[in-house]
Amino acid sequence: KQWYQRRVRGVVNKAHDIYHRKGTFGDRPGNGVGWIHIPGKLQWVASGHGLIVGVNKNHDIYYRTVDPRGVWGVNRNQDIFHMAGNKWQHIKGKLVHVSSGRQVWGVNRHDNIYVHRGGHNWQHIGGKLTNIDCSNRGHVWGVNRGQQIYRRHGKGWVRIGGAAIQASVGFAGVWVVNKAHDIYHRKGTF
């Protein structure tokens, strides 16, 4: 399996413009047919089953739902929040990054990895990552400070070739962004 590069700058470009890949909604196979500009400015965006979550330059959290299943976020103070109905519920703990899929995973400022076990309970998982993502099928991928890419396998982590600063996993497979902001898709993960 290999990575192949997409010659685009991502769903959020350097000017913080937001883009959506036309023809990629849901579980559709294929690469889509172009980019659609979405009004607004964000510096980070992630999508999952039925929702899109983003963060602006002030670290404010925004989301758009298609089929509400659960929205999680962290603020600039590393506080954790979960959308319950139409209100944010504060969850105990401190994280700098959180991802929701089949489970909720997160990393703190010390690169420690956690999985949510319900309520205010988090379980520490071995390893060190700066970025983590979990799909609705339970696939978990992440990257560490050395830009090494990992995927969860059983109760451990498997190193995957390549270098990245961010990983995303979902219906369209595994995607990573490197330090030059180039985007790559992992062949065989779609």
Side-chain angles (χ1 to χ4, degrees), residues 129-174:
L129 297 174
T130 57
N131 171 265
I132 195 164
D133 200 29
C134 179
S135 77
N136 288 328
R137 294 183 178 154
H139 303 289
V140 181
W141 288 64
V143 298
N144 67 13
R145 288 203 185 274
Q147 300 175 30
Q148 296 170 319
I149 304 165
Y150 289 90
R151 74 173 175 87
R152 187 80 174 160
H153 182 73
K155 294 187 177 193
W157 297 98
V158 175
R159 179 139 192 297
I160 305 297
I165 59 172
Q166 182 178 348
S168 180
V169 58
F171 288 122
V174 178

Side-chain angles (χ1 to χ4, degrees), residues 37-81:
H37 181 257
I38 306 296
K41 299 277 188 180
L42 294 174
Q43 64 180 18
W44 176 86
V45 66
S47 64
H49 186 71
L51 61 98
I52 301 166
V53 180
V55 178
N56 69 9
K57 67 179 180 178
N58 296 321
H59 304 281
D60 299 317
I61 304 166
Y62 292 87
Y63 79 99
R64 179 180 288 183
T65 59
V66 178
D67 176 25
R69 289 191 175 248
V71 178
W72 288 75
V74 295
N75 66 14
R76 70 178 120 201
N77 297 321
Q78 303 167 27
D79 298 317
I80 308 163
F81 294 91

Side-chain angles (χ1 to χ4, degrees), residues 49-125:
H49 186 71
L51 61 98
I52 301 166
V53 180
V55 178
N56 69 9
K57 67 179 180 178
N58 296 321
H59 304 281
D60 299 317
I61 304 166
Y62 292 87
Y63 79 99
R64 179 180 288 183
T65 59
V66 178
D67 176 25
R69 289 191 175 248
V71 178
W72 288 75
V74 295
N75 66 14
R76 70 178 120 201
N77 297 321
Q78 303 167 27
D79 298 317
I80 308 163
F81 294 91
H82 174 248
M83 179 66 71
N86 290 325
K87 296 182 180 179
W88 287 105
Q89 175 187 7
H90 182 255
I91 305 294
K92 290 181 184 174
K94 296 284 188 179
L95 296 174
V96 294
H97 182 84
V98 67
S99 175
S100 64
R102 181 178 286 172
Q103 295 176 301
V104 177
W105 289 74
V107 294
N108 69 11
R109 67 186 180 109
H110 302 291
D111 303 343
N112 295 319
I113 306 164
Y114 294 90
V115 63
H116 187 247
R117 295 298 186 203
H120 295 279
N121 301 313
W122 295 91
Q123 178 185 351
H124 179 260
I125 303 296

